[in-house]
Amino acid sequence: MKNQYGKIISLVKQHEKWFSESLPLVASENVASRTVRNVLTSDLGHRYAEGWPGERVYAGCKFIDQIELEAMSLAKTLFKAEFADVRPVSGACANLAVYSTLSDPGDTMMALSIPNGGHISAGKKEFSGTAGLVHGLDIEYFVFDKENMNIDIDETKKKLKAVQSSGKKLKIVMFGGSLFLFPHPVRELADAVLEVGAVPCYDAAHVAGLIAGGQFQDPLGEGAHVMSFSTHKTLFGPQGGTIVCKAQYGEAMKKSVFPGTSSNHHLHSVAAKALMFSEFLKFGKGYARDVIRNAQVLAETLAEKGVSVLGESHGYTKSHQVAIDVTKYGDGGIVEKKLEDMNIILNRQLLPGDLQAGRHYTNPGGIRVGVSELTRLGMGKSEMKEVADVLHMALTTDKADLVKKRVRGLRRLHQRVKYSFDNSPAYFYR
Ligand SMILES: *Cc1c(COP(=O)(O)O)cnc(C)c1O
């Protein structure tokens, strides 16, 4: 017993040390401040508070209620929303609550296919996607324009009508996605969605921080009625989910979150979300601006070096992500592994057209790079040029030791969490 105990502690320490000398470029990840991390270890993590503030199923909630009300109020302010539910324990759970509120099993939802940037939580049953497998939704795909790396407005309008006249009950049109370079045409399509009797929704799991910082798009302002998101991708953590929406859906959404898709929610996480939202109110705008600028500098520098960066006709990216076709270096699976061995941590990525080309999730054509975390660790434009240089070197050489040394050098001065009130060390478990 004692042995395993020690071993686990040691593995956690090894993980922290590894990440402290690596380039964390996974686009869905970020790093939380010490204050946010500390509250996750508070007594709140031991308690039950099923239900809504003031309507709890358990005693002992007088402070928890106040914390949760603050968290909701901050979320409403940040996203200019009429209603917020901060209880979902993840982005996928938030989506499931949205599906349950707006549709019944057998209804249809439109979303992006996975190679075009969609997420498995909006996937079909045959792929074990949450929407299909758990809620019984039938999925129709947006028409996607590969050249522009965005939803095709005119073709999607036609498809909305076609789906409606086929007799399917189209209830939800879910904008947003996981490979997400450019704002989606919510303003252009919201009326067409309403005309066919569906609710325009937006999955901001990846871009919630950019939205909260006012630097991407404002889905609710542009016509989406409901927005769900993760709280740890471009937001500052903890891991979790949140739903914001128009007031008219509030009562039903509350029931879908509890008791529909959870019993107790994670109270320590609600406190951490509240702290994170207040960090975001103060630092979010500058952070989101710097993240997008960093992604653009990284993309441009890589393209100058001959790397095939997607989205060229629109300046490569307007988000935290850079998408790269790596087929000339093997495939996304080979590159992901090679770079991981060089302490560069990022993901392989299915790209539009991959399935037609016979590629698959394990050996897709691309990689996806995110700069949210490096930005929060204080890296700016000049560091992005160096990151591009190191990435290019990693793609084109086998000299792992040389790459690792450069990576370690790049990280030496970037060990603290910026855009925070506490300027805390990013790694303190070592
Ligand atoms: C990551 C992601 C989710 C799921 O979020 P979790 O917090 O990991 O459950 C949902 N939708 C999209 C588009 C995502 O990228």
Side-chain angles (χ1 to χ4, degrees):
M1 234 11 223
K2 195 144 189 249
N3 247 342
Q4 285 156 322
Y5 199 86
K7 180 179 167 193
I8 292 159
I9 301 281
S10 154
L11 289 170
V12 175
K13 289 184 176 174
Q14 288 176 60
H15 170 88
E16 285 228 358
K17 180 167 189 301
W18 183 33
F19 268 71
S20 74
E21 47 192 45
S22 300
L23 288 180
L25 290 166
V26 173
S28 56
E29 294 178 355
N30 212 325
V31 55
S33 67
R34 185 161 197 159
T35 307
V36 165
R37 288 161 71 175
N38 272 343
V39 86
L40 289 173
T41 66
S42 72
D43 181 66
L44 292 167
H46 307 136
R47 303 300 148 204
Y48 259 77
E50 292 180 1
W52 194 255
E55 308 164 13
R56 300 295 193 190
V57 180
Y58 285 81
C61 298
K62 62 182 180 189
F63 298 113
I64 290 165
D65 279 6
Q66 294 178 54
I67 293 166
E68 198 162 304
L69 288 168
E70 275 309 332
M72 291 192 275
S73 155
L74 285 161
K76 286 191 276 190
T77 304
L78 272 176
F79 296 97
K80 303 188 204 74
E82 295 167 0
F83 175 88
D85 194 326
V86 298
R87 295 172 298 172
V89 297
S90 75
C93 287
N95 282 346
L96 187 57
V98 172
Y99 307 154
S100 308
T101 301
L102 301 176
S103 67
D104 291 310
D107 289 343
T108 300
M109 172 167 79
M110 185 176 282
L112 279 177
S113 73
I114 290 177
N116 288 339
H119 187 258
I120 192 64
S121 62
K124 295 187 182 194
K125 181 172 181 173
E126 62 197 272
F127 307 130
S128 305
T130 313
L133 184 73
V134 185
H135 194 55
L137 285 177
D138 181 32
I139 307 296
E140 288 283 347
Y141 296 134
F142 281 107
V143 184
F144 195 75
D145 175 351
K146 257 178 23 173
E147 285 313 305
N148 291 315
M149 285 301 285
N150 211 328
I151 292 166
D152 186 315
I153 298 169
D154 293 333
E155 291 303 316
T156 295
K157 279 186 184 165
K158 286 185 206 158
K159 183 151 183 188
L160 284 167
K161 292 225 170 78
V163 172
Q164 186 192 31
S165 41
S166 75
K168 293 187 171 180
K169 289 191 194 145
L170 183 60
K171 293 291 182 60
I172 299 171
V173 172
M174 185 62 87
F175 293 92
S178 298
L179 175 63
F180 203 170
L181 300 174
F182 305 110
H184 280 169
V186 177
R187 198 185 289 289
E188 292 81 352
L189 285 171
D191 285 343
V193 171
L194 291 168
E195 266 167 41
V196 299
V199 179
C201 297
Y202 190 105
D203 182 342
H206 263 273
V207 292
L210 311 179
I211 291 168
Q215 308 295 310
F216 192 65
Q217 66 183 142
D218 172 16
L220 294 178
E222 293 164 24
H225 287 193
V226 176
M227 185 165 91
S228 49
F229 53 89
S230 306
T231 47
H232 50 268
K233 295 187 181 179
T234 47
L235 287 169
F236 293 156
Q239 294 205 342
T242 287
I243 298 164
V244 289
C245 62
K246 285 182 172 288
Q248 71 201 76
Y249 304 101
E251 278 310 309
M253 204 65 80
K254 274 167 72 171
K255 294 196 184 92
S256 297
V257 173
F258 170 82
T261 56
S262 60
S263 59
N264 196 36
H265 55 294
H266 298 171
L267 310 175
H268 52 324
S269 181
V270 167
K273 285 172 187 171
L275 288 167
M276 175 274 282
F277 287 144
S278 59
E279 288 177 338
F280 231 86
L281 265 185
K282 169 85 174 157
F283 304 102
K285 186 170 178 199
Y287 171 72
R289 194 190 50 219
D290 293 349
V291 165
I292 296 167
R293 184 212 53 209
N294 278 350
Q296 288 168 343
V297 171
L298 181 69
E300 283 158 19
T301 316
L302 284 167
E304 279 164 20
K305 293 176 191 297
V307 175
S308 308
V309 184
L310 274 66
E312 183 179 1
S313 56
H314 295 274
Y316 303 111
T317 182
K318 289 190 164 45
S319 76
H320 59 304
Q321 298 184 4
V322 178
I324 302 172
D325 179 333
V326 293
T327 47
K328 63 181 166 196
Y329 314 108
D331 62 49
I334 292 169
V335 167
E336 178 189 285
K337 177 76 182 93
K338 179 184 179 193
L339 268 52
E340 188 190 64
D341 290 341
M342 295 170 163
N343 293 348
I344 299 173
I345 321 251
L346 48 70
N347 274 116
R348 64 185 186 274
Q349 176 70 45
L350 268 176
L351 298 179
D354 265 359
L355 300 183
Q356 291 89 323
R359 285 190 283 269
H360 181 260
Y361 175 65
T362 55
N363 65 334
I367 55 172
R368 185 185 65 177
V369 181
V371 299
S372 326
E373 187 165 352
L374 290 187
T375 306
R376 199 165 197 218
L377 290 165
M379 289 198 187
K381 260 161 119 169
S382 60
E383 287 89 353
M384 284 304 122
K385 290 185 183 161
E386 278 190 65
V387 171
D389 201 51
V390 173
L391 259 177
H392 176 251
M393 184 178 172
L395 289 169
T396 51
T397 178
D398 285 321
K399 295 180 182 137
D401 285 344
L402 251 163
V403 175
K404 275 193 201 168
K405 195 169 159 216
R406 285 195 65 191
V407 167
R408 213 176 304 125
L410 253 168
R411 282 305 308 277
R412 195 160 293 132
L413 295 173
H414 298 284
Q415 296 289 323
R416 283 182 174 269
V417 180
K418 307 296 178 184
Y419 310 91
S420 68
F421 292 108
D422 56 13
N423 188 35
S424 51
Y427 314 93
F428 47 83
Y429 217 94
R430 282 176 291 170

